[in-house]
Structures are given as C-alpha cells and as structure tokens.
C-alpha cells in the first residue's frame, strides 16, 4: 500500500491557490491518552488545520522544550507504543481524509526497523515523516524505503544552515522543508523574528519545495505574520499547552479545536 505524499503535496498546493499559508499542527500520540490524542488530532483538523504532525514520544526529546517534554512523559508513562502512533495516524486520516505525518527522532525508527516502520506508516495512510535529527548524509536507506512506500521525507533547516548545506538538504527532502524559525528548542515565543523570513528566502533559492516555518508560533497574530512569507505555519507547543492546561480531556479537545480555528483565520488574513 502506498502512502499519502501526493495528498500532502496537493494540500499544500491547494493552500497556495487560495493565496494563503497552510496550517500545520503538531500533537504527540498517546497524550493525554491514546484515545484522547486521536480525538485531539481530529479536533484540530475540524478546527481548520490542513496537516497534522503526530509526534512519536521519546524519552530524550533534545529538540523539544518543556511543554512537549511534559506531554511526551505523560504519553510514555501511559505506555504508548509505535503501534499506538500508527493507530493515531490511521484513525485521524480515515476520519478526515487529510494528510497526517509522523514527527520522530531517528533512534525509535532505527530500533523498530526502517522497512517495517515505512510499510506500517504507509498502510496506516500516513503522508510521511519529519526527521529532525537524521543527517542527510546518513539518510539514504530511509529515503529508499520512504520513496518505495509513497512517503515524504521532511528535513529541518535552521538559520545557522549555510546556503550550500541548505541545497544539500532540500535536494534530499520531499513534501516540504521544515524551517526552524530560530535556534533553540521548541516552545512559544513573543516574536517569531526576522531570521525566519531570511531562512525561507534562502531555502526557496535552493528548491521548489514548499517551505513551512515552525518553532515559536502560538497565536493568530504570529500565524498571520509568518503566513506573509512562508508556505506553511507550524504550531506545536501552543496546542500541547492548551491540552495540559485543560481541566479534563474533553475540555482539552475543545481547546485545541478552538485554537486551530483562531490560527486558521490567522493564516487567511490578507496582509
């Protein structure tokens, strides 16, 4: 069975034809529970997200800030497994028909087996993977299997990336390029900063792939700002924080649906 890279590409192209950026949300699988996490992903789509990244919780999420670390810890203590991540992808995609990616560190895939992971992700209807810590020069085996199963390989670029390095990364990637708006770990910030716009400009000079910006966006105003120069706006910690702050699971699901609606209106503002 083939994965849904074409659905991802079509979704991003459709947003562009509507003269707006796509809204890409992130939520970890198994948080606050496996069932609750699935409902949260569906709610974010219902609120207006175009794409969702489902996080594979990791015991040492070195690139994630304290909010996502807390959610990962809750999921891991709840016993979340890769099978639960695949179930989350499957049920969210089947319920909405929209593209769902997995965001994961490399170690869990390496231990699970690349062929097994890519085959199961494709079978679940996944659109691809975001691999923030897999060096491009060590990614050939992953990309071979991802291509075979119709999955996107999304790499992360940062403001520190030199132009030559950007070209190497974008040539190897597919689906879109994840542009980290600033150096550091994930989390909400007061300002996304000018570094992001410069990084998008430099990345576009190396590739025709859509460039989507993450790290720091937490409200409609920031989403509208990023939408003026990026193909997609990625929001993670703000969604997770809404779930963490909620009194119960139902309230958390309602809160992320509401935030998705606010952000969706933000990316549709005319600048």
């Amino acid at each position: 069975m083939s994965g849904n890279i074409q659905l991802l590409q079509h979704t991003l192209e459709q947003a562009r034809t509507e003269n707006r950026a796509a809204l890409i949300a992130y939520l970890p699988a198994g948080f606050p529970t496996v069932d609750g996490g699935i409902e949260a992903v569906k709610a974010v789509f219902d609120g207006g997200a175009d794409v969702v990244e489902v996080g594979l919780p990791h015991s040492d999420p070195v690139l994630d800030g304290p909010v996502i670390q807390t959610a990962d810890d809750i999921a891991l203590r709840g016993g979340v497994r890769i099978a639960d991540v695949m179930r989350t992808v499957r049920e969210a995609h089947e319920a909405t028909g929209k593209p769902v990616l997995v965001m994961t560190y490399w170690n869990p895939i390496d231990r699970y087996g690349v062929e097994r992971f890519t085959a199961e992700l494709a079978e679940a209807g996944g659109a691809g993977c975001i691999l923030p810590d897999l060096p491009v020069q060590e990614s050939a085996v992953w990309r071979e299997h991802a291509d075979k199963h119709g999955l996107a390989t999304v790499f992360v670029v940062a403001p520190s990336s030199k132009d030559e390095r950007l070209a190497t990364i974008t040539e190897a990637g597919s689906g879109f390029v994840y542009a980290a708006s600033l150096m550091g770990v994930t989390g909400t910030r007061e300002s996304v900063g000018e570094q992001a716009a410069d990084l998008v400009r430099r990345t576009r000079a190396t590739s025709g792939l859509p460039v989507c910006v993450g790290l720091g966006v937490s409200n409609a105003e920031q989403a509208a700002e990023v939408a003026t120069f990026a193909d997609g706006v990625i929001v993670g910690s703000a969604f997770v924080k809404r779930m963490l702050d909620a009194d119960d699971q139902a309230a958390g699901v309602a809160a992320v649906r509401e935030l998705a609606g606010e952000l969706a209106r933000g990316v549709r503002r005319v600048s």
Side-chain angles (χ1 to χ4, degrees), residues 215-232:
L215 273 67
V217 179
S218 61
N219 57 49
E221 288 69 31
Q222 291 173 340
E225 175 194 351
V226 174
T228 63
F229 59 79
D231 298 297

Side-chain angles (χ1 to χ4, degrees), residues 1 3-4 18 28 33 42 63 74 97 124 174 180 189 197-199 201 209 218 257:
M1 184 172 178
N4 273 313
E18 295 173 7
T33 63
K42 292 178 184 177
L63 298 179
I74 291 169
S174 58
R189 290 174 172 81
D198 181 63
L199 178 59
R201 178 189 59 77
L209 288 174
S218 61
R257 181 185 290 108

Side-chain angles (χ1 to χ4, degrees), residues 219-221 223-225 227 261-270:
N219 57 49
E221 288 69 31
E225 175 194 351
E262 295 168 5
L263 294 166
R265 289 188 288 276
V267 300
R268 286 168 172 80
R269 284 187 196 167
V270 178

Side-chain angles (χ1 to χ4, degrees), residues 23-41:
L23 174 60
I24 303 175
Y26 167 93
L27 283 166
F31 167 73
T33 63
V34 175
D35 288 343
I38 292 169
E39 290 307 309
V41 174

Side-chain angles (χ1 to χ4, degrees), residues 13 16 20 28 37 77 90 95 109 126 132 143 151 165 172 181 191 197 221 238 241 251 255 258 265:
E13 289 167 5
R16 183 178 291 182
R20 65 175 179 87
R77 284 191 283 112
R90 177 182 294 104
I109 295 178
R143 287 187 283 123
L151 298 169
R165 175 69 176 163
S181 65
S191 173
E221 288 69 31
K241 190 172 190 304
E258 180 183 33
R265 289 188 288 276

